[in-house]
Amino acid sequence: MTTDQIKNESIELLKQLIATPSFSGDESSAADIMAGFLASKGYKVNRKGNNVWVHSPQPSEGKKVILLNSHFDTVKPASGYTRDPFNAEVADGKLYGLGSNDAGGPLVSLLSAFRILAATEQPYHLIYAATAEEEVSGRNGVESILEDMGRVDFAIVGEPTKMQMAVAEKGLMVLDCTAHGQSGLAAREEGVNALYKALTDIEWFRTYQFPRVSAMLGPVKMSVTQINCGTQHNVVPDKCQFVVDVRVNECYTNAELLEIIRTKVGCTVEARSTRVNSSSIAATHPFVMRGTAEGIISYGSPTTSDQALMPFTTIKMGPGDSARSHTADEFIYIDELWQAPDTYVKLLDGLAI
């Protein structure tokens, strides 16, 4: 089968996925499609929950392992859609539909690259994985199959980056903070106002600058995004709760940052999770060096992806544009789907890691 035929089959597969609702946590139909397609191409399909993966049929003994991974789950359609989000419509060189850009385009482009590369022996063993629950950082997504896949030395995580190399990615930590006071009548000098105590801590979150600043990702960013306080107008509140969104650079782990924050504020601080860590790859990594030699731009990504859950070296790279993700009338250019597999293959063919 020619490279062009492989690309055309991938584009047709993406159209089928667009027509199949696959919201995070409810992706079984899309997983069926992926498993069926891979089986029809002669691969031995592995499946766990709604995650599907295959190995290259070439000899693997003694080789390092490269994983090509992207997700097929989507968010729900934005309210402003003027087109049917589940109709894979091609118009003006664009393929429209929910999930076309995030991350259907990267998903099928990596699949094309896998099929092309797996047809000949490489100096590495290759795995392709199509996974679930990325949009909600779910525990039943790629995280749940890492042990089943075995050792991985390097992974490309397919997300819309305009085929630039996202060599660093910020982590995410959501904090639930509670300031405690003592209730009393507002008309008298009674109680300890928890809201006033919270304001002191909120001002700290607004102004504090962590000393370690990343050359690629910049400083840690903290934003107070929600607040809940008080029961009625004439009662001094004894509790004030607020939420902080923390975007973490690669200079800190989430657990380390959480402990620092707890020493700086008076409120109680609980992290909803510390698992979505930041990540980075060295400029001297063979894949990055090959990409740089090809003139591909490197940058630091402010958005999170499944690479935050991977305990091995990763890079984020794929066709499409992050600015189109989760927007009404989402689309990806057909040319992007046509060119991305060639770029992946150029960077991976014969690569020694």
Side-chain angles (χ1 to χ4, degrees), residues 240-261:
C240 181
Q241 298 170 307
F242 59 97
V243 176
V244 187
D245 178 284
V246 184
R247 303 290 168 154
V248 187
N249 64 26
E250 80 277 17
C251 303
Y252 298 90
T253 66
N254 286 357
E256 179 186 10
L257 211 64
L258 177 60
E259 290 309 306
I260 294 171
I261 290 169

Side-chain angles (χ1 to χ4, degrees), residues 64-286:
K64 291 192 175 181
V65 179
I66 295 178
L67 168 66
L68 308 181
N69 167 246
S70 191
H71 67 95
F72 50 80
D73 62 305
T74 72
V75 297
K76 293 186 178 180
S79 60
Y81 263 87
T82 63
R83 301 170 180 267
D84 181 352
F86 304 109
N87 179 27
E89 178 183 359
V90 177
D92 301 320
K94 303 173 184 177
L95 173 58
Y96 288 92
L98 183 65
S100 56
N101 178 79
D102 185 13
L107 178 84
V108 300
S109 295
L110 282 171
L111 176 55
S112 290
F114 172 83
R115 293 177 64 193
I116 295 165
L117 291 164
T120 58
E121 188 166 352
Q122 297 291 338
Y124 49 80
H125 180 62
L126 200 58
I127 303 174
Y128 172 80
T131 50
E133 293 195 9
E134 190 275 346
E135 296 290 7
V136 293
S137 294
R139 293 187 180 274
N140 295 315
V142 69
E143 185 180 35
S144 69
I145 64 169
L146 294 179
E147 186 174 333
D148 299 271
M149 287 191 297
R151 191 188 88 245
V152 173
D153 297 286
F154 171 62
I156 300 176
V157 177
E159 290 285 338
T161 70
K162 298 189 283 189
M163 286 306 286
Q164 297 175 358
M165 297 185 294
V167 296
E169 177 185 271
K170 279 195 172 180
L172 169 65
M173 189 164 53
V174 180
L175 305 179
D176 291 304
C177 303
T178 305
H180 297 275
Q182 183 177 337
S183 62
L185 274 175
R188 300 194 184 106
E189 294 297 325
E190 292 181 353
V192 177
N193 196 315
L195 175 56
Y196 295 160
K197 293 180 70 174
L199 289 175
T200 300
D201 289 338
I202 288 171
E203 181 65 7
W204 180 86
F205 279 112
R206 189 182 75 84
T207 59
Y208 186 76
Q209 295 292 316
F210 286 93
R212 299 179 214 160
V213 177
S214 165
M216 190 64 69
L217 295 174
V220 173
K221 186 178 186 300
M222 300 187 291
S223 303
V224 178
T225 55
Q226 293 174 285
I227 189 167
N228 181 36
C229 186
T231 57
Q232 58 190 63
H233 77 88
N234 61 344
V235 176
V236 173
D238 63 355
K239 183 168 67 173
C240 181
Q241 298 170 307
F242 59 97
V243 176
V244 187
D245 178 284
V246 184
R247 303 290 168 154
V248 187
N249 64 26
E250 80 277 17
C251 303
Y252 298 90
T253 66
N254 286 357
E256 179 186 10
L257 211 64
L258 177 60
E259 290 309 306
I260 294 171
I261 290 169
R262 283 173 169 163
T263 67
K264 299 288 188 180
V265 295
C267 58
T268 61
V269 181
E270 297 296 333
R272 295 181 186 178
S273 172
T274 58
R275 44 196 283 274
V276 184
N277 283 289
S278 59
S279 60
S280 64
I281 185 172
T284 55
H285 189 279

